[in-house]
Amino acid sequence: MQDGARQHRTEKVLRFLDEYFGNRVIALDYPKFTDTGIDWPPYSPDLTPCDYFLWDALKDTVYENHSSTLDELESAICVACKSISVKSLKDVMPNFILRLRHLIFSNGEYFENIVF
């Protein structure tokens, strides 16, 4: 989600997710709609690899060229994505698991002062 845009939570999207992924979906309001899945924890942007790793890894590379057109920006994003090593991507997953363990230990409540 960028610039405060709402996530895709229309009935059509939720039905698609339910059809293909069933109770394996973690999404805001998903359990209310389908009676399956896991509700997205409130205020948890630091839980997902895209939030705590990917955007930070990409932004410096993408913005160092000061793209002036949409095509240049798209190209810079592609170059930045290709520059992330497989090792870096593999290293992200144990950290994600650690973050989830902290969430479970805190019973889904907010936790702070933890350095990952």
Side-chain angles (χ1 to χ4, degrees):
M1 296 183 309
Q2 295 291 324
D3 301 324
R6 302 229 2 136
Q7 58 274 59
H8 301 288
R9 295 188 312 172
T10 65
E11 183 176 338
K12 186 176 182 178
V13 169
L14 293 176
R15 286 194 192 286
F16 173 84
L17 292 172
D18 187 48
E19 180 180 340
Y20 287 93
F21 302 105
N23 68 349
R24 297 176 296 164
V25 175
I26 300 173
L28 188 61
D29 293 335
Y30 185 77
K32 292 177 192 172
F33 178 78
T34 63
D35 291 327
T36 64
I38 300 170
D39 205 6
W40 187 255
Y43 308 112
S44 57
D46 291 338
L47 286 179
T48 63
C50 285
D51 287 324
Y52 73 79
F53 166 74
L54 184 61
W55 305 140
D56 195 46
L58 296 179
K59 69 180 178 183
D60 293 335
T61 306
V62 169
Y63 291 118
E64 73 183 5
N65 296 328
H66 305 289
S67 304
S68 59
T69 68
L70 191 54
D71 287 337
E72 288 175 0
L73 180 60
E74 183 179 343
S75 177
I77 291 169
C78 289
V79 168
C81 287
K82 290 176 184 175
S83 74
I84 299 173
S85 72
V86 172
K87 182 185 180 320
S88 292
L89 295 173
K90 287 180 179 180
D91 289 346
V92 168
M93 293 319 295
N95 191 280
F96 179 53
I97 292 167
L98 177 64
R99 291 165 188 264
L100 292 176
R101 285 186 179 141
H102 279 286
L103 180 65
I104 291 167
F105 181 75
S106 71
N107 200 28
E109 297 295 322
Y110 178 76
F111 53 88
E112 60 181 307
N113 301 326
I114 297 175
V115 177
F116 293 99

